[in-house]
Amino acid sequence: MQKIYFLLLCLFPLMSCSQNKTSTTPVEIDEKLLPQQNFTTLKFEADGKPCIALINNRYIGYKEKLKFSMSLFVMVNTIEKNKDGHPNEKETETFNTLQTEIISELSKVLGPYCYIGTTTMPGYRDILLYINPGDREKATDILKKIKEKNSRVDTISFEEDTEWEAVASFYEAISLKN
């Protein structure tokens, strides 16, 4: 299982806080706006079952939350799972491929966004992002197309969350851990 999370950590820098890649002109990213990635693994329980979150801890104390005030959570069902409902090795590879596709396709049409991380819960995983509210329609269009092609994508949810309350408990846990 640790090999799987190591692989995920290697992939995340390629997928987080992306820039719009539809232009041939490079987009410069203000490092203060979109900090470098650094992920922390958190273990917790939900309904008495083990869960794991892989969270970009560079957003602790992040000052630009208002620019990315729309949460975007994509739930992906786990089909082949272990006794805890977590993906087996083959399923993890399938999930990573799908996650890479989702991030890649969003990167083609969205402006900058913040990739928070993932949670692995019994039977599903969530991909957690925060986007500019003006990019919601573009994200919806891309994710609907992906969902039509891949039945594993269960739900796509958006919520206005100016204070990032939906992920605040993860950041509190990281602060306590350090």
Side-chain angles (χ1 to χ4, degrees):
M1 189 64 115
Q2 288 182 337
K3 290 180 193 175
I4 294 166
Y5 290 108
F6 178 74
L7 175 65
L8 290 173
L9 282 173
C10 293
L11 292 174
F12 286 139
L14 302 174
M15 300 183 284
S16 179
C17 289
S18 105
Q19 57 188 358
N20 185 338
K21 294 179 182 150
T22 57
S23 170
T24 56
T25 308
V27 176
E28 292 195 22
I29 297 295
D30 180 348
E31 291 301 321
K32 292 178 186 170
L33 181 64
L34 300 172
Q36 294 295 315
Q37 281 46 253
N38 187 15
F39 289 85
T40 297
T41 301
L42 299 170
K43 295 180 181 183
F44 61 101
E45 286 190 359
D47 297 326
K49 300 209 178 198
C51 304
I52 300 170
L54 193 58
I55 302 296
N56 186 345
N57 65 18
R58 297 292 181 155
Y59 290 109
I60 294 172
Y62 187 53
K63 305 283 188 235
E64 302 295 332
K65 290 178 184 173
L66 280 176
K67 293 181 182 180
F68 305 98
S69 61
M70 178 73 56
S71 69
L72 165 54
F73 296 172
V74 181
M75 182 190 292
V76 180
N77 289 323
T78 303
I79 296 172
E80 297 182 32
K81 45 194 158 201
N82 64 22
K83 65 179 175 53
D84 293 325
H86 293 202
N88 64 20
E89 197 168 324
K90 180 182 173 197
E91 183 77 4
T92 298
E93 290 175 26
T94 301
F95 176 80
N96 290 343
T97 300
L98 177 57
Q99 180 174 314
T100 299
E101 177 187 0
I102 289 168
I103 299 298
S104 175
E105 292 302 311
L106 287 172
S107 295
K108 291 176 185 176
V109 298
L110 298 184
Y113 60 88
C114 299
Y115 177 75
I116 302 302
T118 62
T119 59
T120 302
M121 310 290 277
Y124 67 95
R125 280 194 176 172
D126 278 324
I127 302 168
L128 315 171
L129 302 105
Y130 277 81
I131 65 172
N132 181 296
D135 286 337
R136 180 179 179 164
E137 188 174 321
K138 293 178 202 171
T140 300
D141 292 343
I142 289 296
L143 293 170
K144 280 183 179 178
K145 289 176 186 171
I146 292 171
K147 185 175 179 177
E148 287 171 6
K149 292 186 320 186
N150 195 316
S151 62
R152 289 174 187 266
V153 177
D154 186 9
T155 59
I156 301 160
S157 61
F158 295 90
E159 187 174 320
E160 186 65 29
D161 185 5
T162 58
E163 295 298 318
W164 292 20
E165 291 176 24
V167 296
S169 62
F170 294 128
Y171 288 112
E172 289 169 16
I174 291 170
S175 294
L176 292 173
K177 191 175 179 178
N178 293 332

PDB file of all heavy atoms in Angstrom, residues 103-130:
ATOM      1  N   ILE A 103      -7.490  15.458 -14.494  1.00  0.00           N
ATOM      2  CA  ILE A 103      -6.646  16.644 -14.266  1.00  0.00           C
ATOM      3  C   ILE A 103      -6.138  17.197 -15.597  1.00  0.00           C
ATOM      4  O   ILE A 103      -6.132  18.412 -15.817  1.00  0.00           O
ATOM      5  CB  ILE A 103      -5.477  16.302 -13.320  1.00  0.00           C
ATOM      6  CG1 ILE A 103      -6.000  15.847 -11.953  1.00  0.00           C
ATOM      7  CG2 ILE A 103      -4.516  17.468 -13.192  1.00  0.00           C
ATOM      8  CD1 ILE A 103      -6.795  16.876 -11.190  1.00  0.00           C
ATOM      9  N   SER A 104      -5.720  16.314 -16.495  1.00  0.00           N
ATOM     10  CA  SER A 104      -5.208  16.744 -17.796  1.00  0.00           C
ATOM     11  C   SER A 104      -6.269  17.484 -18.598  1.00  0.00           C
ATOM     12  O   SER A 104      -6.005  18.551 -19.166  1.00  0.00           O
ATOM     13  CB  SER A 104      -4.704  15.522 -18.572  1.00  0.00           C
ATOM     14  OG  SER A 104      -4.309  15.887 -19.862  1.00  0.00           O
ATOM     15  N   GLU A 105      -7.474  16.921 -18.638  1.00  0.00           N
ATOM     16  CA  GLU A 105      -8.554  17.553 -19.405  1.00  0.00           C
ATOM     17  C   GLU A 105      -8.973  18.888 -18.780  1.00  0.00           C
ATOM     18  O   GLU A 105      -9.227  19.850 -19.497  1.00  0.00           O
ATOM     19  CB  GLU A 105      -9.748  16.610 -19.540  1.00  0.00           C
ATOM     20  CG  GLU A 105      -9.471  15.401 -20.411  1.00  0.00           C
ATOM     21  CD  GLU A 105      -9.048  15.762 -21.823  1.00  0.00           C
ATOM     22  OE1 GLU A 105      -9.720  16.603 -22.467  1.00  0.00           O
ATOM     23  OE2 GLU A 105      -8.033  15.204 -22.296  1.00  0.00           O
ATOM     24  N   LEU A 106      -9.025  18.952 -17.456  1.00  0.00           N
ATOM     25  CA  LEU A 106      -9.354  20.225 -16.804  1.00  0.00           C
ATOM     26  C   LEU A 106      -8.266  21.259 -17.080  1.00  0.00           C
ATOM     27  O   LEU A 106      -8.556  22.439 -17.304  1.00  0.00           O
ATOM     28  CB  LEU A 106      -9.526  20.029 -15.300  1.00  0.00           C
ATOM     29  CG  LEU A 106     -10.795  19.308 -14.855  1.00  0.00           C
ATOM     30  CD1 LEU A 106     -10.740  19.013 -13.352  1.00  0.00           C
ATOM     31  CD2 LEU A 106     -12.047  20.099 -15.208  1.00  0.00           C
ATOM     32  N   SER A 107      -7.023  20.835 -17.083  1.00  0.00           N
ATOM     33  CA  SER A 107      -5.899  21.750 -17.313  1.00  0.00           C
ATOM     34  C   SER A 107      -5.941  22.393 -18.690  1.00  0.00           C
ATOM     35  O   SER A 107      -5.435  23.497 -18.877  1.00  0.00           O
ATOM     36  CB  SER A 107      -4.566  21.003 -17.158  1.00  0.00           C
ATOM     37  OG  SER A 107      -4.402  20.577 -15.836  1.00  0.00           O
ATOM     38  N   LYS A 108      -6.559  21.714 -19.634  1.00  0.00           N
ATOM     39  CA  LYS A 108      -6.647  22.243 -20.994  1.00  0.00           C
ATOM     40  C   LYS A 108      -7.623  23.405 -21.110  1.00  0.00           C
ATOM     41  O   LYS A 108      -7.488  24.226 -22.018  1.00  0.00           O
ATOM     42  CB  LYS A 108      -7.076  21.137 -21.960  1.00  0.00           C
ATOM     43  CG  LYS A 108      -6.024  20.072 -22.158  1.00  0.00           C
ATOM     44  CD  LYS A 108      -6.563  18.961 -23.049  1.00  0.00           C
ATOM     45  CE  LYS A 108      -5.568  17.820 -23.163  1.00  0.00           C
ATOM     46  NZ  LYS A 108      -6.128  16.702 -23.961  1.00  0.00           N
ATOM     47  N   VAL A 109      -8.618  23.471 -20.214  1.00  0.00           N
ATOM     48  CA  VAL A 109      -9.669  24.481 -20.379  1.00  0.00           C
ATOM     49  C   VAL A 109      -9.789  25.475 -19.229  1.00  0.00           C
ATOM     50  O   VAL A 109     -10.350  26.543 -19.406  1.00  0.00           O
ATOM     51  CB  VAL A 109     -11.054  23.828 -20.620  1.00  0.00           C
ATOM     52  CG1 VAL A 109     -11.052  23.000 -21.896  1.00  0.00           C
ATOM     53  CG2 VAL A 109     -11.494  23.004 -19.447  1.00  0.00           C
ATOM     54  N   LEU A 110      -9.303  25.121 -18.052  1.00  0.00           N
ATOM     55  CA  LEU A 110      -9.446  26.014 -16.905  1.00  0.00           C
ATOM     56  C   LEU A 110      -8.272  26.969 -16.803  1.00  0.00           C
ATOM     57  O   LEU A 110      -7.177  26.678 -17.264  1.00  0.00           O
ATOM     58  CB  LEU A 110      -9.517  25.207 -15.601  1.00  0.00           C
ATOM     59  CG  LEU A 110     -10.673  24.231 -15.411  1.00  0.00           C
ATOM     60  CD1 LEU A 110     -10.597  23.613 -14.021  1.00  0.00           C
ATOM     61  CD2 LEU A 110     -12.012  24.881 -15.637  1.00  0.00           C
ATOM     62  N   GLY A 111      -8.539  28.064 -16.129  1.00  0.00           N
ATOM     63  CA  GLY A 111      -7.444  28.921 -15.704  1.00  0.00           C
ATOM     64  C   GLY A 111      -6.749  28.232 -14.542  1.00  0.00           C
ATOM     65  O   GLY A 111      -6.984  27.051 -14.282  1.00  0.00           O
ATOM     66  N   PRO A 112      -5.919  28.930 -13.802  1.00  0.00           N
ATOM     67  CA  PRO A 112      -5.268  28.295 -12.646  1.00  0.00           C
ATOM     68  C   PRO A 112      -6.309  27.737 -11.680  1.00  0.00           C
ATOM     69  O   PRO A 112      -7.412  28.267 -11.567  1.00  0.00           O
ATOM     70  CB  PRO A 112      -4.501  29.448 -11.985  1.00  0.00           C
ATOM     71  CG  PRO A 112      -4.351  30.462 -13.041  1.00  0.00           C
ATOM     72  CD  PRO A 112      -5.545  30.327 -13.945  1.00  0.00           C
ATOM     73  N   TYR A 113      -5.968  26.646 -11.029  1.00  0.00           N
ATOM     74  CA  TYR A 113      -6.820  26.053 -10.020  1.00  0.00           C
ATOM     75  C   TYR A 113      -5.934  25.411  -8.972  1.00  0.00           C
ATOM     76  O   TYR A 113      -4.731  25.249  -9.169  1.00  0.00           O
ATOM     77  CB  TYR A 113      -7.803  25.033 -10.610  1.00  0.00           C
ATOM     78  CG  TYR A 113      -7.154  23.875 -11.304  1.00  0.00           C
ATOM     79  CD1 TYR A 113      -6.789  22.732 -10.600  1.00  0.00           C
ATOM     80  CD2 TYR A 113      -6.890  23.917 -12.660  1.00  0.00           C
ATOM     81  CE1 TYR A 113      -6.183  21.658 -11.230  1.00  0.00           C
ATOM     82  CE2 TYR A 113      -6.288  22.850 -13.300  1.00  0.00           C
ATOM     83  CZ  TYR A 113      -5.931  21.730 -12.579  1.00  0.00           C
ATOM     84  OH  TYR A 113      -5.337  20.674 -13.207  1.00  0.00           O
ATOM     85  N   CYS A 114      -6.534  25.032  -7.857  1.00  0.00           N
ATOM     86  CA  CYS A 114      -5.768  24.462  -6.744  1.00  0.00           C
ATOM     87  C   CYS A 114      -6.157  23.008  -6.544  1.00  0.00           C
ATOM     88  O   CYS A 114      -7.304  22.704  -6.228  1.00  0.00           O
ATOM     89  CB  CYS A 114      -6.031  25.247  -5.464  1.00  0.00           C
ATOM     90  SG  CYS A 114      -5.527  26.971  -5.617  1.00  0.00           S
ATOM     91  N   TYR A 115      -5.185  22.131  -6.714  1.00  0.00           N
ATOM     92  CA  TYR A 115      -5.394  20.707  -6.498  1.00  0.00           C
ATOM     93  C   TYR A 115      -5.078  20.435  -5.033  1.00  0.00           C
ATOM     94  O   TYR A 115      -3.935  20.525  -4.605  1.00  0.00           O
ATOM     95  CB  TYR A 115      -4.489  19.895  -7.423  1.00  0.00           C
ATOM     96  CG  TYR A 115      -4.621  18.422  -7.196  1.00  0.00           C
ATOM     97  CD1 TYR A 115      -5.736  17.738  -7.648  1.00  0.00           C
ATOM     98  CD2 TYR A 115      -3.649  17.730  -6.510  1.00  0.00           C
ATOM     99  CE1 TYR A 115      -5.870  16.381  -7.421  1.00  0.00           C
ATOM    100  CE2 TYR A 115      -3.766  16.368  -6.277  1.00  0.00           C
ATOM    101  CZ  TYR A 115      -4.879  15.705  -6.735  1.00  0.00           C
ATOM    102  OH  TYR A 115      -5.013  14.367  -6.492  1.00  0.00           O
ATOM    103  N   ILE A 116      -6.107  20.122  -4.259  1.00  0.00           N
ATOM    104  CA  ILE A 116      -5.958  19.911  -2.820  1.00  0.00           C
ATOM    105  C   ILE A 116      -5.461  18.501  -2.524  1.00  0.00           C
ATOM    106  O   ILE A 116      -4.612  18.305  -1.665  1.00  0.00           O
ATOM    107  CB  ILE A 116      -7.299  20.162  -2.092  1.00  0.00           C
ATOM    108  CG1 ILE A 116      -7.808  21.581  -2.369  1.00  0.00           C
ATOM    109  CG2 ILE A 116      -7.166  19.890  -0.599  1.00  0.00           C
ATOM    110  CD1 ILE A 116      -6.868  22.700  -1.982  1.00  0.00           C
ATOM    111  N   GLY A 117      -5.987  17.501  -3.239  1.00  0.00           N
ATOM    112  CA  GLY A 117      -5.554  16.126  -3.019  1.00  0.00           C
ATOM    113  C   GLY A 117      -6.682  15.144  -3.230  1.00  0.00           C
ATOM    114  O   GLY A 117      -7.606  15.405  -4.008  1.00  0.00           O
ATOM    115  N   THR A 118      -6.590  14.013  -2.520  1.00  0.00           N
ATOM    116  CA  THR A 118      -7.613  12.976  -2.632  1.00  0.00           C
ATOM    117  C   THR A 118      -7.943  12.425  -1.252  1.00  0.00           C
ATOM    118  O   THR A 118      -7.132  12.523  -0.325  1.00  0.00           O
ATOM    119  CB  THR A 118      -7.144  11.791  -3.498  1.00  0.00           C
ATOM    120  OG1 THR A 118      -6.016  11.178  -2.879  1.00  0.00           O
ATOM    121  CG2 THR A 118      -6.810  12.209  -4.906  1.00  0.00           C
ATOM    122  N   THR A 119      -9.122  11.856  -1.155  1.00  0.00           N
ATOM    123  CA  THR A 119      -9.463  11.048   0.013  1.00  0.00           C
ATOM    124  C   THR A 119      -9.850   9.671  -0.492  1.00  0.00           C
ATOM    125  O   THR A 119     -10.491   9.538  -1.533  1.00  0.00           O
ATOM    126  CB  THR A 119     -10.641  11.633   0.826  1.00  0.00           C
ATOM    127  OG1 THR A 119     -11.789  11.731  -0.014  1.00  0.00           O
ATOM    128  CG2 THR A 119     -10.293  12.987   1.408  1.00  0.00           C
ATOM    129  N   THR A 120      -9.423   8.651   0.226  1.00  0.00           N
ATOM    130  CA  THR A 120      -9.807   7.279  -0.076  1.00  0.00           C
ATOM    131  C   THR A 120     -10.697   6.823   1.058  1.00  0.00           C
ATOM    132  O   THR A 120     -10.262   6.725   2.205  1.00  0.00           O
ATOM    133  CB  THR A 120      -8.565   6.369  -0.193  1.00  0.00           C
ATOM    134  OG1 THR A 120      -7.714   6.894  -1.225  1.00  0.00           O
ATOM    135  CG2 THR A 120      -8.979   4.950  -0.545  1.00  0.00           C
ATOM    136  N   MET A 121     -11.944   6.577   0.716  1.00  0.00           N
ATOM    137  CA  MET A 121     -12.964   6.165   1.669  1.00  0.00           C
ATOM    138  C   MET A 121     -13.419   4.755   1.285  1.00  0.00           C
ATOM    139  O   MET A 121     -13.147   4.308   0.176  1.00  0.00           O
ATOM    140  CB  MET A 121     -14.144   7.135   1.595  1.00  0.00           C
ATOM    141  CG  MET A 121     -13.759   8.617   1.679  1.00  0.00           C
ATOM    142  SD  MET A 121     -13.181   9.124   3.271  1.00  0.00           S
ATOM    143  CE  MET A 121     -14.737   9.413   4.062  1.00  0.00           C
ATOM    144  N   PRO A 122     -14.128   4.057   2.162  1.00  0.00           N
ATOM    145  CA  PRO A 122     -14.614   2.728   1.795  1.00  0.00           C
ATOM    146  C   PRO A 122     -15.530   2.794   0.566  1.00  0.00           C
ATOM    147  O   PRO A 122     -16.601   3.395   0.608  1.00  0.00           O
ATOM    148  CB  PRO A 122     -15.388   2.264   3.028  1.00  0.00           C
ATOM    149  CG  PRO A 122     -14.775   3.039   4.157  1.00  0.00           C
ATOM    150  CD  PRO A 122     -14.425   4.375   3.563  1.00  0.00           C
ATOM    151  N   GLY A 123     -15.063   2.244  -0.555  1.00  0.00           N
ATOM    152  CA  GLY A 123     -15.865   2.173  -1.762  1.00  0.00           C
ATOM    153  C   GLY A 123     -15.696   3.302  -2.759  1.00  0.00           C
ATOM    154  O   GLY A 123     -16.237   3.238  -3.860  1.00  0.00           O
ATOM    155  N   TYR A 124     -14.955   4.342  -2.418  1.00  0.00           N
ATOM    156  CA  TYR A 124     -14.783   5.445  -3.367  1.00  0.00           C
ATOM    157  C   TYR A 124     -13.584   6.312  -3.004  1.00  0.00           C
ATOM    158  O   TYR A 124     -13.043   6.229  -1.916  1.00  0.00           O
ATOM    159  CB  TYR A 124     -16.041   6.307  -3.457  1.00  0.00           C
ATOM    160  CG  TYR A 124     -16.362   7.090  -2.208  1.00  0.00           C
ATOM    161  CD1 TYR A 124     -15.939   8.411  -2.068  1.00  0.00           C
ATOM    162  CD2 TYR A 124     -17.102   6.526  -1.164  1.00  0.00           C
ATOM    163  CE1 TYR A 124     -16.232   9.136  -0.923  1.00  0.00           C
ATOM    164  CE2 TYR A 124     -17.401   7.244  -0.029  1.00  0.00           C
ATOM    165  CZ  TYR A 124     -16.965   8.553   0.083  1.00  0.00           C
ATOM    166  OH  TYR A 124     -17.259   9.267   1.215  1.00  0.00           O
ATOM    167  N   ARG A 125     -13.225   7.141  -3.957  1.00  0.00           N
ATOM    168  CA  ARG A 125     -12.223   8.181  -3.742  1.00  0.00           C
ATOM    169  C   ARG A 125     -12.805   9.501  -4.211  1.00  0.00           C
ATOM    170  O   ARG A 125     -13.589   9.542  -5.150  1.00  0.00           O
ATOM    171  CB  ARG A 125     -10.953   7.904  -4.543  1.00  0.00           C
ATOM    172  CG  ARG A 125     -10.064   6.900  -3.922  1.00  0.00           C
ATOM    173  CD  ARG A 125      -8.718   6.963  -4.583  1.00  0.00           C
ATOM    174  NE  ARG A 125      -7.803   6.051  -3.927  1.00  0.00           N
ATOM    175  CZ  ARG A 125      -6.603   5.789  -4.379  1.00  0.00           C
ATOM    176  NH1 ARG A 125      -6.170   6.370  -5.475  1.00  0.00           N
ATOM    177  NH2 ARG A 125      -5.808   4.968  -3.737  1.00  0.00           N
ATOM    178  N   ASP A 126     -12.381  10.557  -3.556  1.00  0.00           N
ATOM    179  CA  ASP A 126     -12.729  11.906  -3.985  1.00  0.00           C
ATOM    180  C   ASP A 126     -11.473  12.603  -4.464  1.00  0.00           C
ATOM    181  O   ASP A 126     -10.420  12.507  -3.824  1.00  0.00           O
ATOM    182  CB  ASP A 126     -13.319  12.728  -2.829  1.00  0.00           C
ATOM    183  CG  ASP A 126     -14.790  12.467  -2.597  1.00  0.00           C
ATOM    184  OD1 ASP A 126     -15.510  12.263  -3.597  1.00  0.00           O
ATOM    185  OD2 ASP A 126     -15.215  12.479  -1.438  1.00  0.00           O
ATOM    186  N   ILE A 127     -11.595  13.315  -5.563  1.00  0.00           N
ATOM    187  CA  ILE A 127     -10.549  14.201  -6.053  1.00  0.00           C
ATOM    188  C   ILE A 127     -10.997  15.597  -5.644  1.00  0.00           C
ATOM    189  O   ILE A 127     -12.109  16.020  -5.960  1.00  0.00           O
ATOM    190  CB  ILE A 127     -10.399  14.099  -7.580  1.00  0.00           C
ATOM    191  CG1 ILE A 127     -10.095  12.653  -7.984  1.00  0.00           C
ATOM    192  CG2 ILE A 127      -9.332  15.059  -8.085  1.00  0.00           C
ATOM    193  CD1 ILE A 127     -10.204  12.396  -9.477  1.00  0.00           C
ATOM    194  N   LEU A 128     -10.146  16.316  -4.915  1.00  0.00           N
ATOM    195  CA  LEU A 128     -10.522  17.595  -4.311  1.00  0.00           C
ATOM    196  C   LEU A 128      -9.782  18.744  -4.985  1.00  0.00           C
ATOM    197  O   LEU A 128      -8.550  18.775  -4.976  1.00  0.00           O
ATOM    198  CB  LEU A 128     -10.182  17.579  -2.817  1.00  0.00           C
ATOM    199  CG  LEU A 128     -10.564  16.318  -2.028  1.00  0.00           C
ATOM    200  CD1 LEU A 128      -9.973  16.364  -0.633  1.00  0.00           C
ATOM    201  CD2 LEU A 128     -12.063  16.159  -1.979  1.00  0.00           C
ATOM    202  N   LEU A 129     -10.536  19.696  -5.520  1.00  0.00           N
ATOM    203  CA  LEU A 129      -9.945  20.869  -6.156  1.00  0.00           C
ATOM    204  C   LEU A 129     -10.707  22.117  -5.728  1.00  0.00           C
ATOM    205  O   LEU A 129     -11.878  22.036  -5.329  1.00  0.00           O
ATOM    206  CB  LEU A 129     -10.035  20.771  -7.682  1.00  0.00           C
ATOM    207  CG  LEU A 129      -9.398  19.576  -8.336  1.00  0.00           C
ATOM    208  CD1 LEU A 129     -10.463  18.605  -8.783  1.00  0.00           C
ATOM    209  CD2 LEU A 129      -8.573  20.016  -9.511  1.00  0.00           C
ATOM    210  N   TYR A 130     -10.066  23.249  -5.888  1.00  0.00           N
ATOM    211  CA  TYR A 130     -10.742  24.544  -5.757  1.00  0.00           C
ATOM    212  C   TYR A 130     -10.443  25.326  -7.023  1.00  0.00           C
ATOM    213  O   TYR A 130      -9.296  25.381  -7.469  1.00  0.00           O
ATOM    214  CB  TYR A 130     -10.278  25.308  -4.509  1.00  0.00           C
ATOM    215  CG  TYR A 130     -11.023  24.855  -3.279  1.00  0.00           C
ATOM    216  CD1 TYR A 130     -10.651  23.701  -2.598  1.00  0.00           C
ATOM    217  CD2 TYR A 130     -12.137  25.549  -2.832  1.00  0.00           C
ATOM    218  CE1 TYR A 130     -11.354  23.260  -1.497  1.00  0.00           C
ATOM    219  CE2 TYR A 130     -12.852  25.118  -1.724  1.00  0.00           C
ATOM    220  CZ  TYR A 130     -12.453  23.968  -1.062  1.00  0.00           C
ATOM    221  OH  TYR A 130     -13.166  23.531   0.021  1.00  0.00           O
TER     222      TYR A 130
END
